[in-house]
C-alpha cells in the first residue's frame, strides 16, 4: 500500500510539473505581432512597450526619449510605400493611410520636442491609431 501511495505522489508531481513547465509560459509569453514586413515589425518593437507600459503610467519622459527612434522607424514605413502584394482595390486606401501616418509622425515629432504632455499624448495616439490602420491593411501571407 505504501508503494502505491509513493507512485501516485510521484505521478501527480510529474503531471503537475509538466503542466507548470509547458503551459504557464504560453500564458506569460509576450504576444508576437509578426507583420511580415520588416519595417512594420521594427516600428512595432518600439511602439508596443510605449503603448502598453509608458502610456498607461503617463510616463511622458519615456515617450519623449523614444520619440526620435519611433519617428525614424515610422518614416521607414512611409518610404517603403504600398507593400508588394497589396490588392488593387486597397492601394488607394493604403496610400491615404500612409499620408495620414506621415502627418501624424510630423506632428508627434514636434509635440515630443515642444508640446505639453496632453499634446504629446494626443499626437502619440494619432501615430498609434494610424499605424494600426496600416497594419490591418497589410497583405496576409
Amino acid at each position: 500500500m505504501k508503494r502505491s501511495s509513493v507512485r501516485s505522489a510521484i505521478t501527480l508531481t510529474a503531471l503537475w510539473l509538466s503542466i507548470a513547465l509547458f503551459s504557464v509560459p504560453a500564458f506569460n509569453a509576450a504576444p508576437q505581432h509578426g507583420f511580415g514586413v520588416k519595417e512594420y515589425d521594427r516600428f512595432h518593437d518600439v511602439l508596443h512597450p510605449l503603448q502598453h507600459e509608458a502610456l498607461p503610467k503617463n510616463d511622458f519622459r519615456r515617450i519623449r526619449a523614444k520619440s526620435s527612434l519611433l519617428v525614424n522607424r515610422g518614416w521607414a514605413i512611409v518610404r517603403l510605400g504600398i507593400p508588394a502584394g497589396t490588392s488593387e482595390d486597397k492601394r488607394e486606401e493604403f496610400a491615404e493611410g500612409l499620408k495620414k501616418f506621415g502627418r501624424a509622425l510630423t506632428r508627434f515629432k514636434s509635440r515630443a520636442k515642444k508640446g505639453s504632455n496632453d499634446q504629446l499624448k494626443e499626437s502619440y495616439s494619432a501615430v498609434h491609431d494610424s499605424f494600426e490602420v496600416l497594419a490591418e491593411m497589410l497583405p496576409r501571407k
Side-chain angles (χ1 to χ4, degrees):
M1 205 72 163
K2 199 174 189 182
R3 283 187 179 191
S4 67
S5 295
V6 171
R7 283 187 198 142
S8 295
I10 290 172
T11 302
L12 287 174
T13 302
L15 179 62
W16 180 82
L17 280 173
S18 67
I19 291 170
L21 292 174
F22 297 111
S23 298
V24 174
F27 293 114
N28 292 332
Q32 298 298 314
H33 292 93
F35 295 103
V37 180
K38 176 183 72 171
E39 291 82 357
Y40 284 77
D41 291 333
R42 293 188 73 224
F43 180 83
H44 191 263
D45 288 345
V46 179
L47 181 77
H48 186 83
L50 295 178
Q51 181 69 24
H52 297 285
E53 296 168 16
L55 192 61
K57 295 176 186 174
N58 290 323
D59 188 353
F60 298 113
R61 182 175 292 168
R62 182 175 174 191
I63 294 170
R64 288 179 201 280
K66 294 289 185 180
S67 65
S68 290
L69 181 60
L70 189 69
V71 168
N72 287 337
R73 291 189 179 181
W75 282 114
I77 289 172
V78 174
R79 283 190 304 273
L80 176 69
I82 301 168
T86 303
S87 63
E88 274 303 313
D89 61 325
K90 292 280 187 186
R91 294 180 75 75
E92 188 175 324
E93 182 182 359
F94 211 109
E96 278 303 311
L98 285 168
K99 286 178 190 174
K100 186 175 180 180
F101 182 60
R103 289 191 300 268
L105 288 169
T106 299
R107 177 167 281 170
F108 173 67
K109 181 179 179 179
S110 172
R111 299 285 167 86
K113 289 181 182 175
K114 302 181 219 173
S116 69
N117 287 343
D118 287 340
Q119 291 173 325
L120 176 66
K121 186 176 184 176
E122 178 186 332
S123 63
Y124 170 82
S125 293
V127 168
H128 174 270
D129 295 350
S130 58
F131 172 76
E132 291 290 323
V133 169
L134 290 174
E136 283 296 316
M137 289 190 285
L138 284 173
R140 303 292 180 223
K141 294 180 180 182

